[in-house]
Amino acid sequence: FRFNASFLPCLGYGNLSPSTAVGRIFCIVFALFGIPLNLILLNEIGQLMLLGVQHCAHRLEEVFHWQNKASFLMKTCALVTGLLLFLLLPPLLFSDKEGWSYEEGFYYSFITLSTIGFGDYVIGMNPDRTYPRWYKNVISLWILFGMAWLALVIKFCINLLE
């Protein structure tokens, strides 16, 4: 099958799509297996992150003899750390490497991690800029862990609402 693409290494965002019927059918079949596997992977990463937070809370409870305070403190620390690592600091990198404003970088961060991905902003696509070799790899890891963190936050919010 044949793809319409201006830049092959980019994922999603409408700039890579199959142009034949066979290619489209392959994408549908691949998605039927790939989406559940991706959800399982994100869930496992999120559970590992949650396990780390719970372990730290348990240690704080043992050391300082705090009961409910340690759990609340660790959840707060995990939320603040995640906000910094996944939503508040990456826009600074995008401002430097992409030339976007902080607001555009923050918008890209949230839209990407929430899997909305409109495609109006895509990293590493400006032909007038030179990108470091590590840039797309680091962003890929950021997306993976950021999606897992955001899924945990959303799950936590759902639990609060229930």
Side-chain angles (χ1 to χ4, degrees):
F1 49 71
R2 189 172 48 95
F3 283 98
N4 294 330
S6 58
F7 188 72
L8 288 176
C10 275
L11 300 174
Y13 293 112
N15 56 0
L16 178 62
S17 61
S19 60
T20 65
V22 173
R24 291 181 184 123
I25 290 169
F26 173 79
C27 283
I28 291 169
V29 172
F30 185 82
L32 288 173
F33 294 99
I35 291 171
L37 288 175
N38 188 37
L39 292 174
I40 290 169
L41 175 67
L42 289 175
N43 185 49
E44 289 299 315
I45 291 171
Q47 292 305 315
L48 285 173
M49 294 165 83
L50 186 59
L51 188 63
V53 168
Q54 289 171 340
H55 178 71
C56 289
H58 184 65
R59 293 287 295 150
L60 281 175
E61 286 173 358
E62 288 177 348
V63 172
F64 295 107
H65 304 292
W66 294 341
Q67 292 302 326
N68 295 334
K69 292 179 183 177
S71 179
F72 175 77
L73 179 65
M74 286 311 302
K75 287 177 184 175
T76 303
C77 286
L79 179 65
V80 170
T81 302
L83 277 170
L84 284 171
L85 288 176
F86 301 119
L87 290 176
L88 299 176
L89 292 177
L92 297 173
L93 177 66
F94 300 138
S95 294
D96 179 54
K97 300 299 178 203
E98 302 292 341
W100 299 340
S101 69
Y102 183 84
E103 292 78 18
E104 290 170 320
F106 183 82
Y107 167 80
Y108 171 79
S109 296
F110 183 79
I111 293 300
T112 297
L113 297 182
S114 64
T115 70
I116 295 169
F118 290 123
D120 46 353
Y121 291 91
V122 181
I123 60 123
M125 296 295 290
N126 188 341
D128 298 331
R129 292 192 168 263
T130 303
Y131 299 98
R133 296 173 68 93
W134 54 264
Y135 185 57
K136 287 188 179 181
N137 293 329
V138 167
I139 298 304
S140 296
L141 288 173
W142 167 77
I143 290 172
L144 180 66
F145 286 98
M147 287 173 61
W149 172 80
L150 193 56
L152 276 178
V153 170
I154 291 169
K155 186 177 181 179
F156 178 72
C157 291
I158 289 170
N159 288 342
L160 280 178
L161 291 173
E162 290 177 343

